[in-house]
Amino acid sequence: MDNANKQLHIAFFAGDITQYWGTERVCTRIASALVQQHSHQVSIVSMFENHKQSSFPLDTAITRHTLYSHEVHGVWRWPFTVARLLAFVRKEHIDILIDADGILDMYSLPVKLVTGVKIISWEHFNYLQHPDVPYRKVTRKLAAHYADAIVTLTHQDAEFYQHYAHPKCPVVTIHNPISLPPRPVAYDSNSHIIVSAGRLEPQKGFDMLIEAAKHVLPQHPNWQWVILGEGSKRAELTAMIQEAHLEQQLLLLGRVPNIDTWLSKASMFVLTSRFEGLPMVLLEAKSRKLPIVSFNCVTGPAEIVADTVNGYLVDCFDIQTFASKVNELIENKQKRQQFSEHALQGIEEFNITTIMNQWQQLLECMA
């Protein structure tokens, strides 16, 4: 059997597949497509899961596993986690393990030494950022030398890996996929709703969003700005909103079951992240033909948004300019409509068929 037709058992390895909205969405989509389009056997294994049900459709042939029955943290668990992952790989006869966060290489690479399983280190942030734990610096260096491939979400990040890590394995850029809605999208230029989405954590910059909103919402009392997502900074952000007297216009709506419902009735999408990998929320907004205002953070927005064509890219942390661009779109219905009409420019790069062909080519090279 040649490599193109060989059925592989592929496992996606995550800390908690249900924790990050964007990661869960893209993993479930790619995993399901590998089953449906390429007939691979696919599993998802998390260290633990706080939500037992996936927020997104998952092919019924895909099995889900956890290494622990409860939430665990701490590098001191390293030998136990390696041992449990080793047992899983052996029991399930895994051919290729895809780490859905480079930090997980610290567990998977030792398993490779024992079993020979192929490892793909899938970067979901970017090489220059080390969120949550500083030893991402170490695991990225290890992946560059010992993984079988590194997948980055953007071309810019692939350049970072080549420049800083000097990898001995292939570094392949594969964007996150997006599917256009089954029916043509009708943009509502009369909407007075601004949407932002993401975890309520420092990375997403919602503190800066509130600062920008102080220069926007009081001038436009018939507009609302909703933030979709949950996280550890909810109390702090709530206090900031109350202090700014924006409770009636700037709303923290928490984790919602279907972000598309809000995107379909939005006037624009706004992103204030300090850094990204490739923000899925921007791709979703783009596919719904929404004008976008985003910080031009490293990495991702510049590969999704064409500045002054279908949105505005603003220098990171320039809150005054950011607020002025939001105000401009609020006050210029014609500009919103114009940006919407050009929103799908470049969308073919993120087509699910294109993305899956790239994944399949990579997997064939490793089979």
Side-chain angles (χ1 to χ4, degrees):
M1 180 182 294
D2 60 36
N3 286 351
N5 297 314
K6 181 180 179 180
Q7 185 189 57
L8 301 169
H9 192 169
I10 301 161
F12 290 79
F13 179 32
D16 175 1
I17 195 66
T18 67
Q19 182 178 6
Y20 301 113
W21 182 88
T23 301
E24 181 182 11
R25 181 157 193 154
V26 72
C27 283
T28 53
R29 291 207 64 206
I30 291 176
S32 294
L34 287 173
V35 171
Q36 297 161 3
Q37 298 177 21
H38 301 286
S39 301
H40 294 304
Q41 185 178 353
V42 179
S43 301
I44 292 177
V45 56
S46 293
M47 290 183 64
F48 58 89
E49 290 184 0
N50 281 321
H51 304 278
K52 298 306 178 185
Q53 297 297 321
S54 175
S55 299
F56 306 100
L58 187 65
D59 191 281
T60 56
I62 296 172
T63 58
R64 292 175 63 180
H65 309 262
T66 57
L67 300 184
Y68 296 91
S69 60
H70 56 282
E71 184 169 343
V72 296
H73 297 284
V75 70
W76 65 272
R77 291 184 180 272
W78 179 83
F80 307 105
T81 302
V82 170
R84 293 183 183 212
L85 183 61
L86 173 63
F88 166 79
V89 167
R90 282 176 164 167
K91 180 182 178 182
E92 300 296 327
H93 305 288
I94 303 300
D95 297 302
I96 299 175
L97 191 63
I98 301 175
D99 292 343
D101 185 346
I103 194 67
L104 300 172
D105 298 334
M106 65 186 296
Y107 307 114
S108 63
L109 290 176
V111 172
K112 175 188 175 179
L113 292 176
V114 178
T115 66
V117 63
K118 299 295 181 67
I119 302 296
I120 297 177
S121 179
W122 190 8
E123 178 64 75
H124 281 268
F125 296 102
N126 68 70
Y127 187 85
L128 300 182
Q129 302 297 334
H130 316 290
D132 303 328
V133 286
Y135 45 85
R136 285 182 189 276
K137 297 179 183 179
V138 177
T139 58
R140 285 174 176 142
K141 291 285 189 181
L142 290 172
H145 285 78
Y146 299 109
D148 295 280
I150 295 171
V151 172
T152 66
L153 299 179
T154 66
H155 298 292
Q156 183 181 24
D157 197 33
E159 293 175 1
F160 290 156
Y161 267 90
Q162 295 289 356
H163 180 75
Y164 293 106
H166 309 294
K168 295 181 179 179
C169 63
V171 178
V172 182
T173 296
I174 305 179
H175 295 314
N176 286 337
I178 192 69
S179 291
L180 293 176
R183 295 180 298 277
V185 172
Y187 173 65
D188 183 5
S189 60
N190 293 316
S191 168
H192 287 177
I193 298 174
I194 305 170
V195 173
S196 297
R199 293 173 295 112
L200 305 185
E201 303 295 344
Q203 175 198 346
K204 300 301 180 179
F206 290 126
D207 54 327
M208 294 185 290
L209 183 152
I210 295 170
E211 291 299 321
K214 293 179 183 179
H215 304 284
V216 174
L217 294 178
Q219 303 174 39
H220 305 285
N222 59 335
W223 280 71
Q224 281 195 325
W225 196 334
V226 300
I227 300 174
L228 312 177
E230 198 52 80
S232 66
K233 296 298 182 180
R234 168 176 276 277
E236 181 179 320
L237 295 173
T238 298
M240 289 181 66
I241 292 171
Q242 292 172 344
E243 184 178 350
H245 306 293
L246 296 176
E247 302 96 317
Q248 302 305 312
Q249 289 182 272
L250 184 53
L251 310 177
L252 297 175
L253 298 185
R255 184 182 172 104
V256 298
N258 191 351
I259 190 175
D260 293 344
T261 301
W262 281 100
L263 295 180
S264 66
K265 57 186 179 183
S267 178
M268 71 182 83
F269 189 89
V270 169
L271 183 135
T272 52
S273 294
R274 290 178 163 86
F275 62 89
E276 283 287 350
L278 185 73
M280 283 296 294
V281 287
L282 282 193
L283 288 174
E284 293 293 331
K286 184 181 181 74
S287 73
R288 268 61 182 179
K289 301 179 71 173
L290 292 181
I292 291 169
V293 181
S294 173
F295 277 145
N296 190 16
C297 65
V298 177
T299 55
E303 296 190 28
I304 298 173
V305 180
D307 188 35
T308 73
V309 175
N310 49 32
Y312 289 123
L313 293 173
V314 180
D315 289 342
C316 271
F317 319 133
D318 185 348
I319 293 172
Q320 289 290 341
T321 300
F322 195 94
S324 71
K325 294 302 183 183
V326 176
N327 278 324
E328 180 181 335
L329 287 183
I330 286 177
E331 295 162 6
N332 192 333
K333 179 179 177 180
Q334 184 178 358
K335 177 67 74 173
R336 298 200 304 272
Q337 187 68 50
Q338 176 187 334
F339 279 5
S340 176
E341 291 170 359
H342 292 89
L344 299 184
Q345 179 175 311
I347 197 72
E348 62 278 356
E349 294 183 34
F350 307 96
N351 179 277
I352 182 65
T353 302
T354 301
I355 301 306
M356 290 316 303
N357 286 340
Q358 293 173 327
W359 272 106
Q360 180 62 12
Q361 289 172 12
L362 175 61
L363 295 171
E364 287 174 9
C365 291
M366 298 177 64

